[in-house]
Amino acid sequence: MTVNEITKVIYDAIDDKLGQDIVIINIGAVSSLCDYFVIATAGSQRQVKAIADNVEDELTKLGIEPRGKEGFETQTWVLLDYGDVIVHIFNEEQRGFYNLEKLWKDAPYIDIDTLV
C-alpha cells in the first residue's frame, strides 16, 4: 500500500468512530520525521481509546502494525507510529494544550479527497 492509501484508511477509521476535527498535515514538506501527521479529537477518554483501537484494527487487517504506540494508559493523547504516518488522537483539553497544528504551522494541510 502507498502512504496515501494508508493515510486514507487511518482517516476513515477515525471518522468511523466519530473523531472530530480530523486534519492531515504534510510533515514531510518541512521535516524528515515522517510524511504525514493525522490529528483528531475525541470527546472522551473512552472515545480516544475506541478511535485508536479502530485505527490499529483496520491497519492490522491489512498486515500493517504500528512501530510504536503511546498513551493507552492515560487515554488523553494516543500516538500510533506507522513510520511514514504518525497518528495523534487527543481529548479536547490535550489537543488545545499541545496544539500540534501551531507547532508545525509551516507544514501544509492535505485535503483527504486529494490523497487517493
Side-chain angles (χ1 to χ4, degrees):
M1 290 190 83
T2 68
V3 173
N4 288 359
E5 291 169 332
I6 292 168
T7 304
K8 175 77 168 115
V9 170
I10 291 167
Y11 183 96
D12 290 344
I14 293 169
D15 191 48
D16 285 348
K17 292 297 179 183
L18 306 178
Q20 304 161 5
D21 302 320
I22 307 168
V23 297
I24 302 167
I25 302 175
N26 184 353
I27 298 300
V30 296
S31 172
S32 62
L33 179 64
C34 66
D35 289 339
Y36 300 124
F37 274 0
V38 180
I39 304 170
T41 302
S44 68
Q45 289 179 316
R46 288 181 65 191
Q47 189 183 19
V48 168
K49 183 179 183 322
I51 292 170
D53 286 345
N54 199 45
V55 169
E56 197 170 0
D57 291 347
E58 291 301 313
L59 288 176
T60 296
K61 288 177 189 176
L62 301 171
I64 302 168
E65 297 296 332
R67 293 183 180 179
K69 49 188 179 179
E70 300 285 335
F72 276 89
E73 307 79 32
T74 63
Q75 299 174 11
T76 58
W77 174 10
V78 171
L79 180 143
L80 298 169
D81 181 354
Y82 287 98
D84 293 329
V85 183
I86 298 177
V87 182
H88 301 271
I89 304 157
F90 290 98
N91 69 11
E92 292 176 24
E93 181 181 341
Q94 295 296 315
R95 183 155 182 186
F97 181 78
Y98 287 102
N99 200 354
L100 292 183
E101 292 95 326
K102 184 176 179 183
L103 181 66
W104 292 96
K105 67 181 184 278
D106 294 336
Y109 284 74
I110 302 295
D111 183 339
I112 189 63
D113 296 326
T114 65
L115 281 181
V116 181

